[in-house]
């Protein structure tokens, strides 16, 4: 008798519908995953890399051409006005030169403006020093110098000048953004003191703002190596002179030192915070002692006043 011919595997599987359908489903899923992987590779250009070229220091038109040659997209996200450079020059880029990126990556750049932005100069005379400072900062301006004059309106702005010109409520003057204004501020008796605030750990802008608010001028600003016009905003104060907590005459100049070293600025900030807490506690204790001394003197004066009439009365009968 002739031996029965063996059926192909696929026919055997068809005789088992459940197993057959499961295998078909698995095969379809495998194909779909393979297709999705291929599409993803094509979409992200997997394995294809570009080196970010040097764009800083060249005109915007040249930067756009270079970016296009490297299959990169250029985005202008900020502008500054640096007189030392021509208008339209690329000042900074992100990612930096030499970084490996995928084709089509967006490169964000900062360019130099062709001219400085002009802003309305606010009239701040008659306002408190804090209000005046805030108004100038909101307008994009800053304080050049605080000049104190004898006046009963302590810490109120008596007059303001811009580039040597007295500004009045009717001036309606425009000023270059970032330029500075001289404020003449009143102080009773022509002399006053205040405690130097802590500015360690703050940015240059915040440090200036706090010093002005407390009635002090900005002295020398020392920049560590590596700080430039573009990264200056990231630098932090790690030293100040005079030191925090010391009583100084209003208008005194305070010098600051800035660094990009985050570890250094963080360490000095912590030390300054501890010193500030210590000084505040000592000052509070001293004020309490002075208040107690004043109360005792007042009590002694009251007792002397009460005894004086009795002594005069006794003298009268004698």
């Amino acid at each position: 008798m002739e031996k029965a011919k063996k059926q192909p595997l696929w026919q055997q599987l068809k005789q088992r519908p459940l197993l057959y359908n499961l295998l078909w489903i698995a095969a379809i899923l495998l194909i779909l995953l393979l297709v999705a992987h291929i599409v993803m590779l094509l979409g992200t250009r997997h394995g294809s890399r570009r080196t970010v070229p040097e764009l800083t220091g060249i005109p915007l038109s040249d930067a756009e051409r270079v970016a296009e040659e490297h299959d990169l997209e250029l985005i202008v996200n900020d502008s500054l006005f640096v007189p030392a450079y021509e208008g339209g020059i690329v000042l900074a880029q992100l990612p930096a030169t030499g970084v490996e990126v995928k084709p089509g990556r967006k490169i964000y750049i900062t360019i130099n403006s062709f001219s400085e932005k002009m802003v309305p100069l606010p009239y701040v005379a008659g306002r408190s020093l804090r209000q005046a400072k805030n108004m100038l900062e909101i307008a994009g301006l800053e304080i050049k110098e605080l000049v104190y004059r004898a006046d009963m309106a302590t810490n109120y702005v008596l007059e303001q000048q811009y580039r040597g010109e007295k500004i009045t409520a009717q001036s309606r003057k425009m000023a270059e953004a970032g330029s500075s204004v001289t404020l003449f501020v009143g102080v009773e008796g022509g002399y006053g003191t205040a405690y130097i605030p802590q500015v360690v750990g703050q940015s240059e802008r915040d440090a200036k703002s706090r010093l002005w608010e407390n009635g002090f001028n900005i002295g020398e600003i020392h920049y560590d190596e590596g700080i430039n016009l573009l990264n200056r905003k990231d630098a932090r104060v790690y030293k100040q002179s005079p030191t925090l907590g010391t009583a100084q005459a209003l208008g005194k100049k305070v010098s600051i030192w800035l660094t990009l070293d985050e570890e250094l600025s963080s360490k000095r900030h912590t030390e300054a915070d501890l010193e500030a807490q210590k000084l505040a506690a000592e000052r509070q204790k001293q004020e309490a002692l002075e208040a107690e001394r004043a109360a005792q003197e007042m009590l002694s004066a009251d007792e002397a006043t009460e005894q004086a009439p009795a002594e005069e009365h006794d003298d009268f009968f004698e």
Side-chain angles (χ1 to χ4, degrees), residues 158-173:
L158 308 175
E159 181 186 326
Q160 69 183 94
Q161 291 183 6
Y162 178 68
R163 294 183 175 175
E165 177 185 347
K166 181 178 179 179
I167 303 301
T168 67
Q170 292 74 37
S171 293
R172 302 290 189 273
K173 194 172 185 65

Side-chain angles (χ1 to χ4, degrees), residues 70-137:
H70 287 75
D71 198 10
L72 301 171
E73 183 180 355
L74 211 58
I75 304 293
V76 179
N77 72 326
D78 198 6
S79 64
L80 299 172
F81 180 68
V82 183
Y85 295 94
E86 296 181 1
I89 295 293
V90 178
L91 299 175
Q93 65 182 81
L94 187 68
T97 304
V99 174
E100 294 287 330
V101 298
K102 294 178 181 179
R105 172 69 185 270
K106 293 180 179 179
I107 308 298
Y108 296 92
I109 62 172
T110 299
I111 65 170
N112 192 40
S113 300
F114 288 90
S115 61
E116 183 58 282
K117 178 182 177 183
M118 302 299 290
V119 297
L121 179 61
Y123 180 64
V124 298
R127 298 183 181 274
S128 69
L129 176 57
R130 176 176 294 186
Q131 290 175 319
K133 176 195 70 76
N134 290 339
M135 289 174 66
L136 291 172
E137 289 178 342

